[in-house]
Amino acid sequence: MAEVILALDLPSGDASMRLLERVPDVRWVKVGSILMTREGPPLVRALIGRGLRVFLDLKWHDIPNTVASAVAAARDLGVSMATVHASGGTAMLEAAAAAAGPELGIVGVTVLTSFDSESYARATGRDAVALTAEVRRLAAIAAAAGLRGVVCSPHEIAAVRPAFPPGGWIVVPGIRRSGDAAGDQRRSAGPADAARAGATHLVVGRPILAADDPARAFDDIADAAGPA
Ligand code: C5P
């Protein structure tokens, strides 16, 4: 049902490669802004060279021309998925989708989970914002602009699913099994529940990275998520 994407939230490329040696079944990895700033395109090339699909999570939000050029750079690098902020406006989203080509799926970040309704209302100059409705609104804008999908919390899967046709990507972090430490994740769900609700990709970091046996943790979660 859903692919598991291993979030490489590790201090270096070397640490990432060592971890990957221990988790042979991984097919997708997420490279975020910290690792990308430290290691850059050579790390992405090395990951792709190992046969992995790379989700480049840089959450672009800029003028359309700049975002389109960044998307083209990611496409040329061989990245399979990348993020933009869905709040960047239709022109930016359309430019991103047009630059991506068929091999790179652009997904829109809806509302960052670090926001609550008050802080989001303050940041956007609005009186009160119901976050689930806001996520639904941004997902509809992202879909209309031609994005492949969105990133959302497990609790918002049902709200965004109608915006995308079958084949659309619903990318969900905050995945925890019942015994996993929550860490700073407040709105988590188990892998089977998230996949059943319609997630197509589960982004998982610490439950695998911090496990004594990361391969077993990965396989557990992938089994629960079901076949892709
Ligand atoms: O370690 P954990 O499984 O919580 O990692 C989840 C990954 O997903 C991290 O890389 C985190 O930055 C990312 N993420 C998230 N919540 C969001 C967006 C991204 O946890 N709303």
Side-chain angles (χ1 to χ4, degrees):
M1 286 184 286
E3 289 274 1
V4 177
I5 303 178
L6 175 60
L8 291 177
D9 295 329
L10 291 164
S12 68
D14 285 348
S16 303
M17 290 304 180
R18 281 197 300 275
L19 189 273
L20 288 167
E21 292 292 334
R22 300 178 63 199
V23 195
D25 293 340
V26 171
R27 283 188 288 173
W28 275 90
V29 290
K30 180 172 88 83
V31 175
S33 54
I34 300 170
L35 199 54
M36 193 64 184
T37 303
R38 286 200 185 282
E39 304 285 353
L43 174 65
V44 174
R45 288 194 196 97
L47 294 166
I48 293 169
R50 293 176 68 108
L52 295 164
R53 302 190 79 185
V54 172
F55 169 20
L56 187 61
D57 185 21
L58 301 182
K59 297 185 178 69
W60 289 307
H61 187 158
D62 208 319
I63 59 172
N65 183 62
T66 299
V67 170
S69 299
V71 167
R75 180 198 65 207
D76 293 347
L77 203 48
V79 165
S80 298
M81 185 190 304
T83 41
V84 296
H85 274 281
S87 55
T90 293
M92 187 199 90
L93 299 174
E94 286 178 349
E103 305 300 328
L104 169 58
I106 303 296
V107 292
V109 174
T110 52
V111 176
L112 293 172
T113 45
S114 50
F115 279 119
D116 60 20
S117 139
E118 285 73 35
S119 59
Y120 191 81
R122 269 198 304 279
T124 54
R126 287 148 76 182
D127 285 338
V129 180
L131 290 185
T132 302
E134 181 68 356
V135 167
R136 189 183 296 116
R137 188 183 76 82
L138 288 167
I141 289 171
L147 262 54
R148 182 77 62 87
V150 285
V151 183
C152 67
S153 91
H155 298 248
E156 293 150 355
I157 297 169
V160 305
R161 208 174 32 184
F164 290 92
W169 287 353
I170 300 179
V171 181
V172 178
I175 300 301
R176 293 292 183 269
R177 295 165 298 172
S178 50
D180 289 329
D184 52 3
Q185 295 287 6
R186 297 278 168 268
R187 286 153 65 75
S188 56
D193 287 342
R196 213 175 293 120
T200 59
H201 298 75
L202 308 181
V203 182
V204 186
R206 288 162 290 181
I208 297 168
L209 301 177
D212 291 335
D213 184 345
R216 196 164 137 208
F218 176 86
D219 290 342
D220 261 11
I221 292 169
D223 285 350

